[in-house]
Amino acid sequence: MSATSSPSQASVPRLSSLSHGGGCGCKIAPGLLSEILKNSGVGGLVPPELLVGIETADDAAVYQLNEEQALVATTDFFMPIVDDPYDFGRIAATNAISDVYAMGGRPIFALALVGMPINVLPPETIGRILAGGQAVCAAAGIPIAGGHTIDSVEPIYGLVALGLVHPKRLKRNADARPGDRLILGKALGVGVLSAALKKEQLDSEGYARMLASTTQLNTPGMALAALEGVHALTDVTGFGLGGHGLELARGAGLALRIDWSRVPLLPGVRALAGQGFVTGASGRNWASYGSQIALPEGFAAEDCALLSDPQTSGGLLVSCAPEAVDEVLALFRREGFDYAAEIGEVLDERPAEGAPRLRVV
């Protein structure tokens, strides 16, 4: 094959075989990321209109345009988590748009980010990836208005997603209050399922569950923004429930308690984790923040893996007043989030530096 010729469809490798890590499992571990970014904001320009920047590791940047509108801007991209190109495009686009919903925003348009090994993947395969992303954007009611492409060693796809939110309805990850209840919108276990898929040990039912979860748009975020009882909001992605729960706790200067028996898990994932189907990102996550989590005696290794399991296009994590719990859960149910559940609470505790901020019971 010449350097400029395209590969035949028959010779196309599995997409997941072309990436060293798939989905949000290929994110840089939180401990290393913190080290990389520790001086990135020093001396930078921070205009008063910038309502949300990098200070609390929130899901998106937010810039106030006027008294009634603020721009939500985010980007997310990764390598294949599945082998079907159309499904890969759908998952990546759903995941990217989620960060707008996690701020309480309404998406308005997106830009595509595309890096593909053009001498390995035929144009038809790359076209299917983009078509999957386009389908999800259409479901979200937004156009893909442009983007950028490069020739890369590993296949990469994602979006820059832009949205609008009323400044007074903006939901940050740092505004949880003592006594708030925690609600998780989706079940955990996507990383475990992806590990089984990569080893060709995931059955069709498991794949269907994985796809249903990762392509479900977190649309409740827009309605949650209108509820006064909702104080903080984020989505659970590559750092797992443990990592994103800690971000919420640190942002508020408080601590969280999670009742593990109430945390929703996708069917079969606990057994798969017990058989060793765990992503490398799960271990990296735990190494980064495990010392900040207090576990009960006898907490099983597979549960620890699920606590740090990287979620691609994961669920919204809501911190709300106790009297708002029923309304929040009803909102999730109306929009088809059957796994949504109350999983814990925000404690009126301000841990000392280095002390655990998240307690699992």
Side-chain angles (χ1 to χ4, degrees):
M1 181 186 300
S2 70
T4 58
S5 62
S6 297
S8 67
Q9 199 68 42
S11 65
V12 177
R14 293 176 62 204
L15 281 180
S16 60
S17 72
L18 299 176
S19 60
H20 71 277
C24 284
C26 61
K27 289 178 72 171
I28 295 174
L32 179 57
L33 182 61
S34 178
E35 179 68 19
I36 292 170
L37 297 178
K38 66 180 180 180
N39 294 320
S40 61
V42 176
L45 176 65
V46 183
E49 295 86 359
L50 185 64
L51 304 181
V52 180
I54 65 172
E55 57 280 348
T56 62
D58 218 325
D59 300 293
V62 182
Y63 188 93
Q64 186 164 350
L65 301 174
N66 52 55
E67 290 185 359
E68 296 189 352
Q69 291 179 314
L71 180 68
V72 182
T74 183
T75 185
D76 212 315
F77 53 88
F78 48 61
M79 292 163 283
I81 188 174
V82 296
D83 293 317
D84 184 280
Y86 188 76
D87 288 346
F88 170 40
R90 292 172 64 205
I91 293 168
T94 306
N95 180 75
I97 298 170
S98 178
D99 285 339
V100 175
Y101 295 130
M103 305 304 296
R106 173 180 61 84
I108 53 174
F109 72 92
L111 306 173
L113 300 173
V114 184
M116 293 290 154
I118 58 174
N119 289 332
V120 177
L121 295 178
E124 296 82 4
T125 297
I126 299 172
R128 290 293 290 166
I129 294 171
L130 271 59
Q134 178 68 59
V136 163
C137 287
I142 63 173
I144 294 180
H148 186 64
T149 61
I150 63 168
D151 182 6
S152 69
V153 176
E154 295 178 289
I156 298 169
Y157 178 69
L159 301 175
V160 174
L162 300 171
L164 293 173
V165 66
H166 193 291
K168 293 183 178 179
R169 290 185 174 182
L170 170 64
K171 300 299 180 183
R172 305 192 308 157
N173 69 350
D175 295 328
R177 303 179 187 178
D180 275 0
R181 301 300 190 261
L182 299 172
I183 295 173
L184 181 62
K186 292 185 183 182
L188 302 180
V190 167
V192 167
L193 295 178
S194 71
L197 177 66
K198 190 146 188 168
K199 296 178 181 178
E200 301 187 57
Q201 296 298 311
L202 185 65
D203 60 23
S204 58
E205 290 183 355
Y207 184 80
R209 293 188 190 105
M210 176 182 171
L211 194 61
S213 179
T214 54
T215 59
Q216 186 175 27
L217 287 162
N218 276 322
T219 51
M222 293 184 290
L224 290 169
L227 301 182
E228 288 188 9
V230 173
H231 300 142
L233 191 61
T234 190
D235 60 351
V236 177
T237 54
F239 299 155
L241 177 60
H244 292 286
L246 282 167
E247 286 180 344
L248 190 146
R250 281 194 297 269
L254 299 168
L256 309 183
R257 178 188 61 79
I258 290 179
D259 184 343
W260 187 250
S261 66
R262 303 180 70 177
V263 174
L265 303 177
L266 290 168
V269 297
R270 193 171 186 274
L272 285 170
Q275 296 167 31
F277 294 107
V278 178
T279 68
S282 178
R284 293 191 296 273
N285 281 343
W286 191 255
S288 295
Y289 59 63
S291 62
Q292 303 168 56
I293 299 178
L295 299 176
E297 186 176 351
F299 197 67
E302 52 266 39
D303 292 320
C304 189
L306 286 162
L307 181 59
S308 59
D309 190 51
Q311 302 305 290
T312 299
S313 189
L316 295 174
L317 180 61
V318 185
S319 179
C320 67
E323 59 270 21
V325 168
D326 289 344
E327 188 174 10
V328 170
L329 287 173
L331 192 161
F332 273 114
R333 298 282 185 267
R334 285 197 302 272
E335 299 206 26
F337 288 74
D338 298 332
Y339 285 108
E342 181 182 349
I343 65 168
E345 65 178 329
V346 180
L347 304 175
D348 191 5
E349 298 178 6
R350 290 160 180 81
E353 185 69 28
R357 283 195 178 271
L358 195 158
R359 184 183 310 153
V360 179
V361 298

